[in-house]
Amino acid sequence: MTAGARAALPFDLILFDLDGTLIETGPEIADAVNDTLRELQLAPVDEAQVTRWIGHGTRELLIQALAHRRGVSPDAVRQSPDFAHIETRFGVHYGQRCGTRSRLYPHVRESLAALRAAGVRLAIVTNKEGTYTARVLAAHGLDDAFDRVISGDTLPVKKPNPLAVHDCQLRFAVAATRTLFVGDSAIDVATARAAGVPVWCVPYGYNAGHPVAHSQPDRIIADFGALHPDALAALRSDTVQP
């Protein structure tokens, strides 16, 4: 793409949530949770429940599942002497499950490749812990698709704190007006609002069981085809800002 064509794009930096935005991970996360629960001789939880817990990191999701099945508070799980061992066992199960029942959403791979070829900087901002983020990206051949990957334990804080957005803006010298956040949840909308950048959401991800439209993102896109450089270049500049 020529320099003139790059200038026609409304964004120089696009940040993406991972689970429910780039990749449908709910089925295999549920499998790993239930592998862990069965090992503890606890009843499994259904996939729909697991997807409602996605958003605050895999560790927190496991805590919620254990609290649900043990009939105790999440704090009681966090403070239980066996939690560290359970978390380790979950990591083993999740490592075995990564890539088995997850899938890229439509047009993700080709749109990411085209954006990068156009010179747009791409970053992931997820609350999933780094070890699991790396496994999921590798399972789908996306481990080299991004200029920056910020997981839930990369920085001292995680979403909805805007530090990850500011980190990427400083690293790549991109202004807020040239930055876009793409996600699927109220957490992503809150992160973008705190950072002062526009936010677009997909309608098919994980938002605690609620329509993401209720969170009032700047735009709801049907799929990643709307993020292809050809689609972005066709937008007027006054249609992409909050």
Side-chain angles (χ1 to χ4, degrees), residues 1-3 5-7 9 11-12 112-121 229:
M1 182 173 281
T2 66
R6 284 196 300 271
L9 297 179
F11 305 111
D12 297 317
L112 291 177
L115 285 167
R116 208 161 190 207
V120 178
R121 296 288 194 167

Side-chain angles (χ1 to χ4, degrees), residues 11-217:
F11 305 111
D12 297 317
L13 168 65
I14 303 181
L15 309 107
F16 302 93
D17 172 58
L18 178 58
D19 299 89
T21 299
L22 294 169
I23 305 174
E24 182 186 27
T25 53
E28 66 190 22
I29 292 175
D31 289 343
V33 167
N34 285 328
D35 290 341
T36 308
L37 292 175
R38 290 188 189 97
E39 197 171 277
L40 297 169
Q41 299 185 325
L42 295 171
V45 291
D46 62 65
E47 185 179 310
Q49 180 64 73
V50 171
T51 60
R52 287 193 289 272
W53 290 325
I54 290 175
H56 294 280
T58 315
R59 182 176 190 269
E60 186 61 28
L61 186 151
L62 177 62
I63 288 170
Q64 294 295 328
L66 288 168
H68 179 73
R69 273 292 167 248
R70 287 178 165 176
V72 299
S73 70
D75 279 342
V77 173
R78 293 185 188 96
Q79 296 165 14
S80 63
D82 62 345
F83 180 68
H85 173 71
I86 295 171
E87 187 176 18
T88 298
R89 293 301 302 156
F90 171 80
V92 171
H93 292 305
Y94 193 23
Q96 294 170 340
R97 292 288 190 175
C98 275
T100 59
R101 286 217 296 149
S102 55
R103 65 178 181 91
L104 293 179
Y105 287 110
H107 309 301
V108 166
R109 193 181 303 279
E110 57 267 39
S111 293
L112 291 177
L115 285 167
R116 208 161 190 207
V120 178
R121 296 288 194 167
L122 306 179
I124 284 179
V125 178
T126 176
N127 282 343
K128 184 190 290 290
E129 292 77 8
T131 183
Y132 304 132
T133 299
R135 289 175 182 174
V136 170
L137 292 177
H140 293 278
L142 292 180
D143 33 350
D144 294 322
F146 299 91
D147 300 290
R148 177 80 164 130
V149 176
I150 298 180
S151 298
D153 49 7
T154 302
L155 301 173
V157 293
K158 58 185 181 180
K159 297 185 297 185
N161 189 291
L163 181 60
V165 179
H166 296 322
D167 172 282
C168 292
Q169 289 174 317
L170 287 170
R171 184 175 297 264
F172 302 121
V174 177
T177 55
R178 300 287 297 175
T179 302
L180 174 67
F181 200 107
V182 179
D184 69 321
S185 72
I187 295 172
D188 297 321
V189 174
T191 303
R193 295 286 181 246
V197 303
V199 54
W200 296 2
C201 284
V202 294
Y204 46 69
Y206 310 129
N207 188 37
H210 305 295
V212 74
H214 293 176
S215 301
Q216 299 184 317

